Amino acid sequence: MRGVVFDGARVEVVDDLEVRAPGPGEVLVAVAAAGLCHSDLSVIDGTIPFPPPVVLGHEGAGVVEAVGAGVVHVAPGDHVALSTIANCGACGECHRGRPTMCRKAIGTPDQPFTRGGKPVYQFAANSSFAERTIVKGVQAVKIPDDIPLTSAALIGCAVVTGVGAALNRAKVDRGDTVVVIGTGGIGLNVLQGARIAGAGVIVAVDANPEKEAVARRFGATHFFASTEGVREVLPHGVDHAFECVGRVELVREAVDLLDRHGQAVLLGMPGATAEASFVVASMFLDKSILGCRYGSSRPQRDFALYADLYRDGRLLLDELVTATYPVEDFAAAVADAEAGRVARGVLTF
């Protein structure tokens, strides 16, 4: 079968991948569509260290092909969106409703694939850049059949991370003020999460002026090319500042924009050893800096919520998909993503 494999030096689309059958508690999914996220590119450029060879992809949707023993919530033929959180469901964090903090979800990667008889790693417990993939049952979330799979694929990363950051982690409330730095796939979803929450002023910041129209479509009330313009609208600062790029200087700018009791939420992915600085004295007015993993989500609950919001016309999915590419055109998808020409490119099988 076809898939996108990174061997540690280069990435290529191959056609000789094999995947094992599902074991107990696992699901075999025929992937229909998978979004290209900067986290996939970060494996290629070394920002995210990961052992090669690895099948990339972590934002996908498809159709259940087979289930292992004990899986009862999905069946062959069901449409599913795939989560990257392979939580165990039995530890203290899972029982507290914090599956993103499950230590078994961040453990040693599995090797369900082979190529030429040699094992190949799975990225983010998902590897959606393959025609078929194996996931834990908890990662396969059933969705209505009427949601296009090219749109549903984005629920599993861009949507759950961005919308979840606004609703679950920051807990944006009605009338709050919000700044979103970076309007890529994650930033656009923070914008619409803030809109859904009822935020009052929602400022988008992006160096590319061509992104203004789509930022406003997703919920921005104002748009600036840099954070310097934010004070024109919010002279006292903001309640919530989201950094969605992954640059330490922008982390500092997010912190400096906070009003009293404000919070900066970090979503961008800088290098693994990158450090950011801030003025300590500025934090004593009850300000906070928050990390956020996967939108602080509970996928089996949140994916269904986002599907309902989409069907009600409140959550935008189709508008996120700027372009679709046959998996063989992976290089073109990467070029468009790196040039900022697409909000989200989607690979199709």
Side-chain angles (χ1 to χ4, degrees), residues 34 77 99 108 115 137 152 157 202 214 249 273 282 284 324:
T108 303
R115 186 180 179 210
C157 179
I202 305 174
V214 69
E249 64 270 26
T273 60
S282 71
F284 291 123
T324 58

Side-chain angles (χ1 to χ4, degrees), residues 3-14 17 39-57 115 119-123 127 129 330:
V4 178
V5 176
F6 177 61
D7 66 5
R10 65 191 183 99
V11 62
E12 63 177 326
V13 179
V14 303
L17 271 180
S39 293
D40 300 303
L41 304 182
S42 293
V43 175
I44 298 171
D45 67 22
T47 302
I48 297 178
F50 206 89
V54 56
V55 179
L56 297 175
R115 186 180 179 210
V120 179
Y121 283 106
Q122 183 174 43
F123 178 56
S127 288
F129 291 172
F330 178 75

Side-chain angles (χ1 to χ4, degrees), residues 250-273:
L250 295 179
V251 171
R252 172 60 182 269
E253 291 180 25
V255 172
D256 288 347
L257 283 172
L258 298 179
D259 195 358
R260 300 182 179 197
H261 209 275
Q263 52 187 8
V265 183
L266 310 185
L267 297 173
M269 180 65 71
T273 60

Side-chain angles (χ1 to χ4, degrees), residues 85-105 136 138:
I85 301 299
N87 61 293
C88 70
C91 69
E93 297 293 355
C94 287
H95 279 288
R96 293 184 186 99
R98 300 195 296 239
T100 59
M101 295 296 105
C102 174
R103 296 183 189 279
K104 292 187 178 180
K136 284 188 176 181
V138 72

Side-chain angles (χ1 to χ4, degrees), residues 10-80:
R10 65 191 183 99
V11 62
E12 63 177 326
V13 179
V14 303
D15 60 7
D16 57 350
L17 271 180
E18 295 183 6
V19 66
R20 61 173 172 77
E26 294 181 333
V27 178
L28 176 66
V29 177
V31 179
L36 176 60
C37 174
H38 276 282
S39 293
D40 300 303
L41 304 182
S42 293
V43 175
I44 298 171
D45 67 22
T47 302
I48 297 178
F50 206 89
V54 56
V55 179
L56 297 175
H58 65 284
E59 182 183 71
V63 180
V64 175
E65 198 163 276
V67 300
V71 175
V72 296
H73 70 292
V74 294
D78 286 346
H79 287 202
V80 292

